[in-house]
Amino acid sequence: VTTCGLLRHRPGGGGAFWVDSQQKRYVPVKGDHVIGIVTAKAGDVFRLDVGGSEPASLSYLAFEGATKRNRPNVQVGDLIYGQFVVANKDMEPEMVCIDSSGKSSGMGIIGQDGFLFKVSLGLIRKLLAPKCEIIQELSQLYPFELVIGMNGRIWVKARTVQQTLIIVNILEACEYMTPEQRKQALAKLSGT
């Protein structure tokens, strides 16, 4: 018997179902918040690598306060945190960096001086769960900024490069640690 994953259901979450698997390639889903890398500018549209089978498009008008005269300063190589508004097998995925009221709500260009890395989609769902113990425990260690994309990408920035790398290593290892092992590792790092 071959298993592809487990069928999961989020009660009260609009009746959402998904298959929890160890898949490597992200499949865009409308409404997902992801981290994309700008790969090209084509007229009024940016092309972003989102880890899927094809790039996503992002209009320069899809940013808070953007107009024909006031364009966002987006360069090839920039990291963008945005949301899919179009994602189906028949059309190119399309992203925006504004919510339904035209506000950025934390979306947009991500700072260049952090660290971007990839983890499994299963770990992403664990980290995005309400009251995630992993993030609560890490926040006791050092202050840091964290952006988590449903496409398996995480961007993190702490005060120093060393602190940033420690947080990256812990987040990567969390997938294979029990909560008790994680607590012991964090206790060693904090000197308690």
Side-chain angles (χ1 to χ4, degrees), residues 79 110-117 145 154-158 161 164 168:
L79 301 178
I110 301 173
Q112 289 293 320
D113 50 351
F115 190 88
L116 179 72
F117 62 105
E145 296 174 57
I154 298 177
W155 177 89
V156 66
K157 179 186 173 215
V161 172
T164 299
V168 167

Side-chain angles (χ1 to χ4, degrees), residues 21-191:
S21 69
Q22 293 301 316
Q23 73 186 46
K24 296 286 185 228
R25 177 154 292 206
Y26 172 71
V27 177
V29 175
K30 184 178 178 177
D32 273 4
H33 287 78
V34 297
I35 298 173
I37 303 167
V38 178
T39 57
K41 283 182 177 181
D44 296 342
V45 175
F46 303 104
R47 296 267 174 248
L48 282 81
D49 167 6
V50 292
S53 59
E54 63 179 318
S57 65
L58 173 67
S59 167
Y60 76 93
L61 291 170
F63 289 84
E64 183 176 354
T67 63
K68 284 190 183 269
R69 285 190 170 187
N70 183 27
R71 291 175 176 241
N73 183 19
V74 177
Q75 304 298 322
V76 171
D78 282 352
L79 301 178
I80 305 282
Y81 181 63
Q83 179 177 17
F84 283 113
V85 288
V86 173
N88 65 52
K89 62 181 176 57
D90 301 320
M91 297 175 70
E92 174 184 64
E94 186 180 326
M95 286 175 58
V96 295
C97 290
I98 48 176
D99 61 19
S100 57
S101 60
K103 299 290 180 201
S104 67
S105 299
M107 294 181 278
I109 300 170
I110 301 173
Q112 289 293 320
D113 50 351
F115 190 88
L116 179 72
F117 62 105
K118 242 181 117 28
V119 297
S120 76
L121 302 182
L123 180 56
I124 291 290
R125 281 189 283 276
K126 206 183 288 185
L127 294 172
L128 288 172
K131 297 178 183 165
C132 173
E133 285 184 4
I134 298 167
I135 293 173
Q136 288 175 0
E137 291 166 4
L138 276 174
S139 65
Q140 304 299 312
L141 194 58
Y142 309 118
F144 62 92
E145 296 174 57
L146 184 69
V147 180
I148 300 173
M150 281 300 294
N151 56 341
R153 291 180 178 160
I154 298 177
W155 177 89
V156 66
K157 179 186 173 215
R159 284 194 182 134
T160 66
V161 172
Q162 182 183 9
Q163 289 178 359
T164 299
L165 293 174
I166 288 169
I167 291 168
V168 167
N169 287 327
I170 291 170
L171 285 169
E172 286 181 328
C174 278
E175 189 161 15
Y176 309 104
M177 295 171 118
T178 65
E180 193 52 45
Q181 289 171 325
R182 186 178 68 242
K183 286 180 174 77
Q184 288 173 357
L186 289 168
K188 279 182 194 171
L189 285 167
S190 64

